[in-house]
Each structure stands twice: as C-alpha cells, then as structure tokens.
C-alpha cells in the first residue's frame, strides 16, 4: 500500500530538542521534519529502540518516515521498537506493509484517519485522545496484535466482526468513547474468532442496552467492564465460562434477569450505583461461586437478604445507601463464608445479630439511625462492629468475649438530625 510520507503545514515556533535516556527511549521535542529533515533519527544510538515525539509538528505521516530507524534495528534480533507521539496536530497515519514496530502509541493528537498494511509485527496499538469516529476497516490486517486501546475518542459503534481476524488479541480497551452500539455483523455458531481475548473495557460510553449474547464467542474472557454507561436494559444470556470479574456499576438498571447465565468462575460482581429495587432474577443460581458482591446505591428493600443468604461462597457483601429500614441477620440471611458485611448509609433503626457464622465477620452499620441494641440478641461470635454516625455508637474491633462487651464496651450517644424525622 502507498501513502505520501509527509505533509506538513505547521510553522516552527520552538527549537528542536533531543534526549536519550537509560530506558532505551529517545525523546524528541518540537520536531518539524519539513524544517529539520530526518537526520535527527540517525543520531539515535543503535541500542535505543523507542522514539517518543512531543509536540510533533506534522499533520499526516507514514511509517516510512522512520524507515532508517526501523531498518537499522531490524537487523538486531529481539529488539522491540516503539513509536510514540504525545501531543501533535497529527491527523493521519499509515503503518506500511511489512512494518516491524512492536508498539505504536498516538496520544493527544487530532487523528481522524489511520490505516494498516499487511504482514506487520505490531503487537500493541494505543490511541488515546483522538478524533477517530470509527474502528479502522484495516484493523484486521494486524494479525500479531495482542493489545488494542482506542479510548478518549469519538467512536460511536463497534462491529466485533472487524476484530475477528485478530486471533492473538488479549486486551481490548474501548473506554471513554461515545459508544451507543455493540454488535457482530457475522452470525456465528461454532467458531471462536477471539480465542485469547481476556480483558474487555467498555466503560464511560453512551451504551443504553446490552445484549450479553454478543460476548459469547469470547471464550477466554475474564474481565468485562461496562461501568459508567447509560445501560437500562440487559438482555440475552451471559455465557462466559472463564469470566472472573463483571462491572455494571454506574448505570441506570431498574431490573436484571440472570436466568440462563453461565459464569461458573465469576468471583467479583459490581452493580452499585444503579436503580434496582430488587436483586436480579436467578441471582442465587448464576452467582453461586461469587465471593465479592457490591450493590451500593440502589433502591433495595429488606427482603433481599433472604436471597443473598443462599449465596454460600460470598465473603464480601456491600449494600450501602439502599432503602433498608430493618435487616434480619440470622442463619437464613448471612452466608456462612461471609467475612465483611457493609450495611452503612441506610435507615436501620435497631440492630439484632443473633447469628454470626465466625469471629472473622466484620459488620459495618455506620451512618444509620440505630438507637438501641439488645445485647441478648447479639451473637457472641461478633468481634468487629462499626457503628459510627448512628445515634448510638457501640463500635468495637477487638472484643473477644461477651464478658468484654459487658465490662469494657463504652457506647456513645449522638444527636443525628436526619434520624429525628
């Protein structure tokens, strides 16, 4: 493929600066190839495989601009070459056929078009703070690509079919764009086009609906981040047998159906800062192996505790800032493996904890309206209790016996205005 190597229209304002450090990277400031030519690249020690361009004064370039730098290092086996541009009026970039760079990073540019040639060695591509509005059509040419970051840009829709040829891709970061649509234009039944993709970041976009079926071909997916979107509808079945972490926090969910989900290795689930009045349907079946679960800042009611009590492997459970006015804490509501329970910032009036599975459990009921405790209904296993911000504060963190509670514990009373009403 061909491209004019250089078109420059920026007037020089500052002098060229050049510095090579001990990390085998050479930094160049204010380089205008039209004014200074490419001689500066010949000054880079052969031991240095990285170029970092700051305030780069070019609008469109081809990787041919760095042909001398690349050719000299191609002869050295195992050298990983890197081209980084940080801060530039750069609008167009072409990676030519047979380019041997391992990493290309374009940050804080005006990039609005980019293309990739055939038979390139590129393993890492990072584009941040650009004007790109779509995934480049030629992205599939990068057969060696392992990590793709295209964030802080203007991408509105993603057709995963464009990535189907990237069989070595492990990480895909599309966060902080304007994504409103995810789809796969190729209907798949048995093939797995993303055999190694394990980390997918889609946070801080404009997504309103998610069909979990789109992730099913990603058989190695372990991290799926969908936080800080506008998601109000989740459909389809999440079948991800390698998934260990799912983040749906900071969305607009009012209901969820997890029936049909297959996520046997999931250990961490975050659905905080949504609008859920009830837990997702089939939660106790889909999340059977989850150990960490956060539902902070929703609209959950007290009866949800009985559903959570059936999650036998939960160790960390956080339910702060919901609509909990009373919470029964007994054998039906406290999972046996639980180590930390946070019920802070609700509207609890009293505390009864007749059952605590082990002395390892830390219960946090800070910032509620608790004004009374019946110590006869508090399990002797409770050794860690946080009650700051209540009308009655009987916090303790090292009480070991019921005798200690009676002889050593000093409770403090406070007036909490929000509890007066």
């Amino acid at each position: 493929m061909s491209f004019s190597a250089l078109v420059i229209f920026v007037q020089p304002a500052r002098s060229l600066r050049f510095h090579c450090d001990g990390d085998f990277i050479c930094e160049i400031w204010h380089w205008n190839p039209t004014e200074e030519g490419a001689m500066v690249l010949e000054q880079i020690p052969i031991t240095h495989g990285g170029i970092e361009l700051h305030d780069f004064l070019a609008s469109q370039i081809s990787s041919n601009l760095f042909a001398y730098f690349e050719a000299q290092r191609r002869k050295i086996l195992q050298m990983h070459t890197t081209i980084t541009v940080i801060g530039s009026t750069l609008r167009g970039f072409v990676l030519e056929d047979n380019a041997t760079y391992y990493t290309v990073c374009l940050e804080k540019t005006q990039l609005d078009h980019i293309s990739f040639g055939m038979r390139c060695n590129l393993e890492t591509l990072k584009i941040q703070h650009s004007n790109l509005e779509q995934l480049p059509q030629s992205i599939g040419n990068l057969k060696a690509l392992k990590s793709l970051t295209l964030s802080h840009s203007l991408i509105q829709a993603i057709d995963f079919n464009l990535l189907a040829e990237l069989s070595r891709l492990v990480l895909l970061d599309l966060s902080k764009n304007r994504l409103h649509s995810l789809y796969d234009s190729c209907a798949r039944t048995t093939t797995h086009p993303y055999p190694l993709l394990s980390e997918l970041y889609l946070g801080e976009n404009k997504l309103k609906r998610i069909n979990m079926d789109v992730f099913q071909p990603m058989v190695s997916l372990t991290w799926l981040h969908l936080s800080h979107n506008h998601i109000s509808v989740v459909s389809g079945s999440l079948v991800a047998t390698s998934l260990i972490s799912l983040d749906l926090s900071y969305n607009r969910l009012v209901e969820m159906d997890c029936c049909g989900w297959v996520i046997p290795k999931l250990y961490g689930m975050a659905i905080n800062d949504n609008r859920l009045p009830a837990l997702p349907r089939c939660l106790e079946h889909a999340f059977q192996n989850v150990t960490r679960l956060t539902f902070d800042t929703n609209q959950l009611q007290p009866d949800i505790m009985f559903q959570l009590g059936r999650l036998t492997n939960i160790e960390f459970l956080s339910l702060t800032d919901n609509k909990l006015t009373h919470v029964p804490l007994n054998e039906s509501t406290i999972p046996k493996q639980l180590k930390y329970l946070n019920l802070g910032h609700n509207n609890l009036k009293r505390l009864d904890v007749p059952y605590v599975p082990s002395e390892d459990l830390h219960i946090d009921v800070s910032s509620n309206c608790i004004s009374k405790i019946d110590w006869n209904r508090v399990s002797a296993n409770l050794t860690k209790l946080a009650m700051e911000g209540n009308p009655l504060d009987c916090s303790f963190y090292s009480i070991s016996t019921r005798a200690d509670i009676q002889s050593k514990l000093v409770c403090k009373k406070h007036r909490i205005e929000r509890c007066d009403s």
Side-chain angles (χ1 to χ4, degrees):
M1 74 190 290
S2 63
F3 193 89
S4 62
L6 194 61
V7 178
I8 303 292
F9 54 81
V10 179
Q11 295 183 352
R14 287 163 286 188
S15 60
L16 177 70
R17 263 199 312 134
F18 178 96
H19 171 71
C20 294
D21 59 28
D23 293 327
F24 305 103
I25 296 174
C26 285
E27 296 176 275
I28 304 172
W29 287 266
H30 321 308
W31 178 32
N32 185 332
T34 294
E35 300 292 329
E36 288 91 14
M39 289 289 291
V40 64
L41 300 180
E42 298 180 19
Q43 309 305 312
I44 297 177
I46 193 64
T47 53
H48 287 57
I51 301 174
E52 194 168 283
L53 305 175
H54 298 265
D55 191 21
F56 182 51
L57 305 176
S59 62
Q60 299 195 46
I61 62 170
S62 155
S63 57
N64 286 339
L65 177 62
F66 310 98
Y68 177 85
F69 173 85
E70 181 183 18
Q72 292 297 308
R73 283 146 189 83
R74 189 182 299 148
K75 303 172 184 177
I76 304 176
L77 297 177
Q78 307 285 319
M79 178 171 280
H80 286 206
T81 49
T82 299
I83 302 295
T84 300
V85 177
I86 304 176
S88 175
T89 54
L90 185 68
R91 294 182 58 192
F93 180 83
V94 171
L95 188 68
E96 300 287 355
D97 293 343
N98 303 306
T100 59
Y101 304 106
Y102 279 81
T103 301
V104 170
C105 299
L106 305 173
E107 304 178 23
K108 298 180 181 178
T109 69
Q110 297 178 20
L111 191 75
D112 57 23
H113 58 279
I114 185 170
S115 61
F116 308 100
M118 306 291 290
R119 300 174 300 280
C120 297
N121 289 351
L122 195 67
E123 293 186 356
T124 299
L125 174 62
K126 181 181 289 187
I127 302 172
Q128 296 179 304
H129 298 282
S130 78
N131 292 331
L132 284 175
E133 296 183 357
Q134 61 184 6
L135 203 61
Q137 292 291 320
S138 57
I139 192 73
N141 292 341
L142 301 178
K143 308 298 185 187
L145 197 64
K146 296 180 180 179
S147 176
L148 172 58
T149 297
L150 207 173
S151 66
H152 299 80
S153 297
L154 309 178
I155 309 296
Q156 297 186 43
I158 290 293
D159 180 0
F160 283 114
N161 188 45
L162 290 176
L163 305 172
E165 300 298 320
L166 305 182
S167 60
R168 299 185 184 181
L169 191 65
V170 174
L171 181 147
L172 177 58
D173 184 353
L174 298 169
S175 60
K176 299 183 179 179
N177 279 283
R178 298 182 180 179
L179 281 175
H180 58 74
S181 178
L182 303 175
Y183 64 98
D184 191 335
S185 61
C186 180
R188 307 180 192 282
T189 54
T190 58
T191 59
H192 299 302
Y194 327 97
L196 302 179
L197 183 60
S198 64
E199 298 181 44
L200 180 55
Y201 300 94
L202 297 166
E204 297 189 55
N205 278 289
K206 307 292 184 182
L207 295 167
K208 294 182 179 180
R209 305 172 66 93
I210 286 289
N211 186 335
M212 291 296 188
D213 292 338
V214 76
F215 306 117
Q216 191 163 336
M218 304 172 189
V219 293
S220 298
L221 194 62
T222 57
W223 298 85
L224 177 55
H225 287 225
L226 292 160
S227 67
H228 294 85
N229 276 280
H230 302 158
I231 300 171
S232 61
V233 176
V234 174
S235 61
S237 296
L238 181 60
V239 178
T241 56
S242 298
L243 193 67
I244 60 176
S245 178
L246 174 61
D247 190 348
L248 279 163
S249 57
Y250 294 94
N251 279 290
R252 300 175 182 179
L253 291 168
V254 294
E255 64 176 358
M256 273 187 68
D257 188 340
C258 297
C259 301
W261 286 26
V262 181
I263 43 176
K265 294 183 180 178
L266 190 74
Y267 78 78
M269 175 77 170
I271 320 182
N272 49 287
D273 289 88
N274 278 276
R275 302 171 183 177
L276 293 169
L279 295 175
R281 287 184 289 277
C282 299
L283 173 136
E284 61 268 37
H285 301 295
F287 296 174
Q288 195 57 242
N289 295 318
V290 170
T291 60
R292 184 181 181 90
L293 190 58
T294 60
F295 278 98
D296 300 334
T297 315
N298 278 279
Q299 299 177 31
L300 298 176
Q301 307 292 326
D303 58 355
I304 55 110
M305 295 302 299
F306 293 96
Q307 197 174 348
L308 292 169
R310 293 192 283 271
L311 297 176
T312 55
N313 290 302
I314 285 287
E315 296 181 4
F316 178 101
L317 177 59
S318 189
L319 300 166
T320 68
D321 194 15
N322 277 280
K323 294 185 178 299
L324 305 178
T325 56
H326 63 281
V327 175
L329 298 177
N330 52 47
E331 293 184 44
S332 298
T333 61
I334 298 184
K336 289 182 171 54
Q337 302 298 322
L338 196 62
K339 301 293 188 294
Y340 181 79
L341 173 61
N342 194 340
L343 298 169
H345 294 274
N346 280 284
N347 195 27
L348 301 177
K349 299 291 197 302
R350 58 179 298 159
L351 181 66
D352 292 326
V353 196
Y355 171 76
V356 173
S358 77
E359 294 181 355
D360 294 329
L361 177 59
H362 178 179
I363 296 179
D364 189 338
V365 291
S366 301
S367 299
N368 277 278
C369 292
I370 299 172
S371 59
K372 63 176 68 173
I373 298 177
D374 182 354
W375 292 108
N376 293 321
R377 291 184 53 78
V378 174
S379 170
N381 278 344
L382 185 61
T383 60
K384 304 175 188 69
L385 176 65
M387 290 188 66
E388 294 86 354
N390 281 278
L392 182 66
D393 181 2
C394 298
S395 301
F396 57 86
Y397 301 97
S398 60
I399 299 295
S400 57
T401 67
R402 179 59 58 88
D404 286 337
I405 290 178
Q406 295 175 340
S407 63
K408 300 179 181 178
L409 183 62
V410 177
C411 294
K412 302 175 183 177
K413 293 184 178 181
H414 308 278
R415 185 182 173 216
I416 309 294
E417 289 187 8
R418 58 184 165 76
C419 297
D420 290 343
S421 57

